[in-house]
Amino acid sequence: MTDKKPVRHILSLSGGKDSAALAIYMRDRVPEMEYIFSDTRKELPETYEYLERISSYLGKPVVRLNAELGFDHWYHMYGGMIPSNHRRWCTRALKLKPFEQYCGDDEVINYVGLRAEEERSGYISHKPNITAVYPFKEDGLILRDIEGILKSSGVGMPPYTKWGRTRSGCYFCFYQQKIEWVRLKETYPELYEQAKEYERPFEKTGNFFTWSRGESLAEMEQPQRIEQIKREHVIRIQRNAARRENATLMEVFANAEAAEDPEDDDDQGCLVCQL
């Protein structure tokens, strides 16, 4: 008779605030925790810097998956078709599959950084040997608690938040708001240019796919369009603030309708990429 393997405890870091805070929160609660990061090789420089900062605090290395492969490998495997909300091959190939391969057939508890106030879902493994747990939800921790964890630890918020980006993941993530594309162009013009290069006709069909729904990056970077996006962003912030202050029943229904606007849909990205 062989001894049963011990249960593995694994936490996936994305470079985002929630998974970082969860790693800090669980460090002394689960000393045997394994920390991993699925590297698309298309992350922002700040993401890699942040992972080093987290690793230093944890006192453990963060295992990088996809060390030999990255986005471009799978991009060519899919015939040059860029991913989208309806073609999310990037999450499956670059995040979920490497995670499941890393787990193998071992019994695994996977720690996920969903906060107590969130009602999100995403690409979580459904393999029978992998069980997802949600410590923040179980303990009732919300956004201000996560911010407090990051501040008190000295790790802080992800550095890219300083220039207005709200999400981790690839610099060309199709879930970005248009204002985030503008900020990317202003902060990393070379990365914006590289993202533009992926927008070309799909050779199998001739269809022209864009990162941002209904608009190419070449169109978006025109000066007048940039100013329009900035104005609309300010109006959106003011509108949302007014809604929160004066939430009548009618406005609650109006908010539900407004959520169909992709620019208001800030939290709908890939769960496994953003946390």
Side-chain angles (χ1 to χ4, degrees):
M1 174 181 281
T2 58
D3 294 333
K4 184 179 179 181
K5 287 185 178 180
V7 175
R8 295 171 66 189
H9 298 261
I10 302 177
L11 192 154
S12 299
L13 291 160
S14 69
K17 66 183 184 305
D18 295 317
S19 63
L22 185 61
I24 295 165
Y25 188 67
M26 300 304 298
R27 184 189 68 169
D28 298 327
R29 292 172 170 83
V30 184
E32 66 272 28
M33 187 79 78
E34 300 174 47
Y35 304 95
I36 64 173
F37 171 66
S38 294
D39 193 352
T40 66
R41 302 173 77 170
K42 297 295 179 180
E43 312 288 332
L44 290 163
E46 291 97 331
T47 298
Y48 297 112
E49 174 193 334
Y50 196 50
L51 288 168
E52 291 299 323
R53 193 187 304 176
I54 296 167
S55 177
S56 177
Y57 180 87
L58 297 173
K60 281 188 176 183
V62 176
V63 177
R64 292 198 182 182
L65 310 185
N66 299 325
E68 71 286 356
L69 301 175
F71 177 88
D72 285 340
H73 168 83
W74 294 106
Y75 170 72
H76 292 300
M77 289 288 289
Y78 279 87
M81 177 179 64
I82 62 177
S84 73
N85 185 34
H86 304 294
R87 304 182 302 274
R88 262 198 287 184
W89 58 258
C90 54
T91 305
R92 292 190 300 272
L94 290 161
K95 299 290 183 177
L96 188 60
K97 186 176 179 180
F99 169 71
E100 291 181 340
Q101 289 175 336
Y102 179 78
C103 294
D105 295 325
D106 296 339
E107 186 176 350
V108 168
I109 298 177
N110 177 212
Y111 294 77
V112 182
L114 271 179
R115 306 189 303 270
E117 82 276 19
E118 291 187 291
E119 294 296 335
R120 288 202 282 166
S121 60
Y123 275 75
I124 300 298
S125 178
H126 295 293
K127 288 187 66 177
N129 59 306
I130 300 174
T131 302
V133 295
Y134 307 89
F136 288 157
K137 278 190 171 292
E138 294 169 6
D139 296 345
L141 273 63
I142 60 176
L143 178 59
R144 66 170 175 265
D145 299 309
I146 273 60
E147 293 172 341
I149 290 170
L150 294 173
K151 182 177 180 180
S152 62
S153 68
V155 171
M157 291 287 283
Y160 51 73
T161 58
K162 293 179 181 179
W163 51 270
R165 186 178 170 98
T166 64
R167 66 187 67 243
S168 57
C170 300
Y171 66 82
F172 46 51
C173 179
F174 51 83
Y175 276 115
Q176 290 182 87
Q177 297 181 34
K178 293 184 187 295
I179 188 63
E180 291 181 290
W181 279 110
V182 169
R183 289 167 177 163
L184 178 69
K185 179 173 176 58
E186 293 175 341
T187 309
Y188 289 108
E190 71 282 5
L191 294 184
Y192 191 93
E193 289 300 313
Q194 290 174 29
K196 278 170 58 179
E197 293 176 4
Y198 289 99
E199 294 188 330
R200 58 170 69 99
F202 182 45
E203 61 183 30
K204 292 185 178 179
T205 64
N207 293 335
F208 186 78
F209 295 118
T210 60
W211 291 115
S212 184
R213 187 165 63 184
E215 184 173 28
S216 71
L217 296 185
E219 293 169 326
M220 194 186 300
E221 70 178 342
Q222 299 306 309
Q224 289 184 335
R225 178 59 176 138
I226 286 177
E227 292 306 312
Q228 180 186 15
I229 291 171
K230 289 181 176 180
R231 287 195 304 270
E232 290 174 349
H233 178 64
V234 171
I235 292 170
R236 193 172 299 110
I237 290 174
Q238 294 171 342
R239 180 186 65 194
N240 289 340
R243 284 174 175 165
R244 287 191 292 271
E245 292 175 2
N246 304 288
T248 66
L249 183 60
M250 183 176 294
E251 286 168 335
V252 169
F253 283 113
N255 285 349
E257 293 176 359
E260 297 176 4
D261 180 352
E263 289 297 287
D264 283 338
D265 206 10
D266 186 43
D267 291 324
Q268 295 303 311
C270 301
L271 180 64
V272 72
C273 294
Q274 280 190 48
L275 294 178

